[in-house]
Amino acid sequence: MTRAERLAALLEAATDVLSERGYHGTTMRDVAEAAGVSLATLYHYVAGKDDLVYRVEHQLLQAAVVSARAALVGRGSRDRLKALLTDHIRRVQRHPAEALSIAGRLAPPGREGARRLARLRTEYMALVQATVEAAVGGRGRRRNPEEPAWMILGMAERVATEAAQGRTPPRPGPLATRVLSLYLDGARALARPRPKS
């Protein structure tokens, strides 16, 4: 196994452990055990827990941006949003830590590389926000223009969590369709002008 392949395997194991236990519940020993290596071997590849978590987050966020861009190619606004939601649900089902990373809640702030991670988060959220606005339209003024994007991602993550717990079918496409229908119908209802009394 090459050095790059070993590092990729270590990051995959760390992602799984972080997805299951979160930042504070994860130790380097847990990651080494999950990867099937010694603690010394793990430290040979990363400087410590913060370095490991940074690498995991960077990898997750970078992959999320690339995957989202690929999902958005050549469709109408509603289909693009469904494709983005399907991709997001699929990714979060595989690695729940990704949702925490996108929200900036996987690890404590102020770590080295925080600016690079923030740029990736901003890029991902800009894709989501633009896709939501194209599908729903820029209705009304909002104090927080990212609010609709966060709302639909929260809905998608909720159905992904329920599917993981066996409450709903686990296929990302039908889950995305449910979220999209609920979100768009609700958004349209809120956007309709109210009759004047």
Side-chain angles (χ1 to χ4, degrees):
M1 185 179 282
T2 68
R3 180 173 176 78
E5 291 170 338
R6 176 62 59 109
L7 180 58
L10 292 173
L11 293 178
E12 184 68 25
T15 302
D16 291 343
V17 174
L18 284 163
S19 290
E20 183 182 320
R21 301 180 186 176
Y23 177 84
H24 294 292
T26 298
T27 67
M28 293 293 280
R29 190 171 305 285
D30 295 333
V31 174
E33 186 177 302
V37 299
S38 70
L39 196 53
T41 299
L42 181 58
Y43 276 107
H44 179 72
Y45 286 88
V46 295
K49 183 176 175 179
D50 282 344
D51 180 39
L52 178 68
V53 173
Y54 165 76
R55 289 172 185 244
V56 165
E57 283 198 278
H58 191 268
Q59 182 175 294
L60 288 172
L61 291 170
Q62 208 168 34
V65 168
V66 168
S67 187
R69 286 189 186 286
L72 294 174
V73 175
R75 297 181 170 101
S77 60
R78 185 179 175 109
D79 289 339
R80 287 169 50 101
L81 183 55
K82 181 182 178 201
L84 183 69
L85 288 173
T86 301
D87 181 67
H88 185 78
I89 290 168
R90 179 184 53 80
R91 295 183 60 73
V92 169
Q93 283 178 326
R94 180 158 159 70
H95 296 300
E98 184 173 305
L100 294 172
S101 184
I102 288 169
R105 296 187 327 239
L106 181 60
R111 297 171 299 125
E112 188 170 329
R115 286 188 188 144
R116 280 181 241 129
L117 296 177
R119 277 193 294 265
L120 287 168
R121 283 186 193 102
T122 300
E123 186 176 353
Y124 185 79
M125 287 309 297
L127 287 169
V128 175
Q129 186 176 344
T131 307
V132 170
E133 285 177 5
V136 176
R139 294 178 166 79
R141 294 180 166 245
R142 294 180 184 92
R143 276 189 239 168
N144 180 0
E146 289 184 345
E147 185 178 48
W150 284 113
M151 185 181 302
I152 201 164
L153 288 183
M155 292 169 70
E157 289 158 16
R158 177 63 186 215
V159 298
T161 300
E162 287 185 5
Q165 295 169 351
R167 294 184 192 156
T168 59
R171 294 188 356 246
L175 293 174
T177 299
R178 286 179 43 205
V179 169
L180 184 62
S181 177
L182 177 62
Y183 182 81
L184 289 180
D185 291 342
R188 286 188 185 122
L190 290 175
R192 286 188 200 117
R194 293 183 181 166
K196 295 183 180 183
S197 9

